[in-house]
Amino acid sequence: MASNFTQSLSANRAGCAGCYLRHFCLSADLNDAETEIFSSHIVSQRRVPKGEILFRAGDPLDTLFITRLGSFKSSVLNENGSEQVTDFHMTGEVLGAEAIPTGYHICTVTALEDSEICSLRYRELEALCDRDPKIARQFRLLLGRKIVAAHQNLLILGCTNSTQLLASFLLNLARKFEARGFSKSEFVLRMTRGELGSFLGLKLETVSRTLTHFDELNLIEINQRHVRIINLEGLKAVAKESGRAKRKTSQE
């Protein structure tokens, strides 16, 4: 017997079945026939050139986006009008979900490189979740991953100095690449060092100096934005110093 999901939707237009991120996305729990039908409700799959703004803080929530290729940054404006980077987003991540509680976006999202996104109208997605528990479950999982990622960011930002901040950030990035089937030891930083410093609360000069220091310690090799981790355990040891320092402080 066909599921409610299969009965309620129409023909395929977008083609999710062959997407390498299917296991990360809303169609992960669907069979092939259901996936083809679900694809018909993808509003668009389009390219987003580097530097293009996907949505701005204050825009009403109309569409949720899933990063199919590339990467993005979230940012807000400080009181002095300068940009504060609040997060970085990789393939498979939902963009725009922070607007669900209020109906309005609280940050601006910009492409860090030539990227590609899939779009779903939020009201249509709500209706799909009401019709089929498989879609509802996957949507909850996607939102749950956002919460886990936010928790990981808090752990990184709770580090006590620049070396621990950068080491923790690189390790977290490596885990994300590995989860997506890419190398965990060799990757490209799509953000500028200034954007990375904004996210971590460090000056650009401090970011550059610390990355160079890691290179000199043979923890990583870095060439422009290309990073190769050559001593994973050593990098982990640098990051763990944060936890030991915190425990010592709490015991005093």
Side-chain angles (χ1 to χ4, degrees):
M1 180 181 293
S3 70
N4 291 336
F5 180 81
T6 303
Q7 293 171 345
S8 65
L9 301 181
S10 58
N12 172 48
R13 294 194 302 271
C16 295
C19 180
Y20 79 103
L21 285 172
R22 178 176 171 181
H23 68 287
F24 252 83
C25 198
L26 287 168
S27 64
D29 212 23
L30 306 179
N31 61 39
D32 289 343
E34 291 169 334
T35 297
E36 289 184 359
I37 296 169
F38 170 76
S39 296
S40 70
H41 280 246
I42 300 292
V43 176
S44 65
Q45 292 179 334
R46 70 177 180 89
R47 295 185 182 278
V48 185
K50 179 180 178 179
E52 181 175 308
I53 293 175
L54 198 57
F55 54 80
R56 297 179 184 274
D59 287 349
L61 171 62
D62 175 64
T63 305
L64 291 179
F65 305 94
I66 297 174
T67 309
R68 191 169 185 270
L69 294 170
S71 54
F72 294 80
K73 67 174 178 180
S74 296
S75 63
V76 296
L77 292 181
N78 289 325
E79 293 181 358
N80 61 8
S82 62
E83 181 188 61
Q84 171 65 54
V85 177
T86 57
D87 206 355
F88 299 109
H89 311 279
M90 298 176 63
T91 52
E93 294 190 32
V94 179
L95 304 174
E98 91 293 339
I100 291 175
T102 64
Y104 292 89
H105 293 289
I106 63 173
C107 60
T108 297
V109 168
T110 309
L112 290 172
E113 58 183 312
D114 291 342
S115 301
E116 189 172 323
I117 50 94
C118 297
S119 310
L120 296 108
R121 292 190 183 92
Y122 178 60
R123 296 307 173 193
E124 279 194 30
L125 179 58
E126 281 190 315
L128 291 178
C129 289
D130 288 340
R131 293 188 196 116
D132 193 279
K134 291 181 179 180
I135 293 295
R137 176 179 178 274
Q138 283 303 120
F139 188 47
R140 289 195 299 270
L141 286 175
L142 286 178
L143 295 181
R145 290 193 198 116
K146 297 288 289 183
I147 295 172
V148 170
H151 177 69
Q152 290 171 336
N153 284 344
L154 286 175
L155 291 177
I156 292 171
L157 297 176
C159 293
T160 57
N161 59 52
S162 61
T163 57
Q164 292 152 5
L165 278 166
L166 262 299
S168 297
F169 178 83
L170 292 175
L171 289 169
N172 188 50
L173 196 59
R175 285 190 291 267
K176 288 183 176 182
F177 277 117
E178 183 180 27
R180 287 156 176 79
F182 302 120
S183 172
K184 67 177 181 180
S185 61
E186 194 164 359
F187 46 82
V188 176
L189 299 175
R190 296 302 180 181
M191 71 291 294
T192 67
R193 295 187 182 187
E195 289 166 336
L196 180 52
S198 176
F199 174 65
L200 296 176
L202 300 173
K203 294 180 180 180
L204 182 146
E205 295 82 2
T206 303
V207 172
S208 297
R209 184 173 61 250
T210 304
L211 290 174
T212 299
H213 181 56
F214 287 170
D215 195 321
E216 292 170 345
L217 291 175
N218 292 320
L219 298 175
I220 66 172
E221 287 182 354
I222 187 161
N223 182 12
Q224 301 296 323
R225 298 189 188 184
H226 185 272
V227 174
R228 186 167 76 91
I229 298 175
I230 57 179
N231 186 349
L232 183 63
E233 293 307 313
L235 202 60
K236 288 180 179 179
V238 172
K240 286 179 181 178
E241 287 300 317
S242 173
R244 283 197 285 269
K246 287 180 180 178
R247 286 193 294 272
K248 181 178 179 181
T249 301
S250 65
Q251 293 170 358
E252 290 176 349

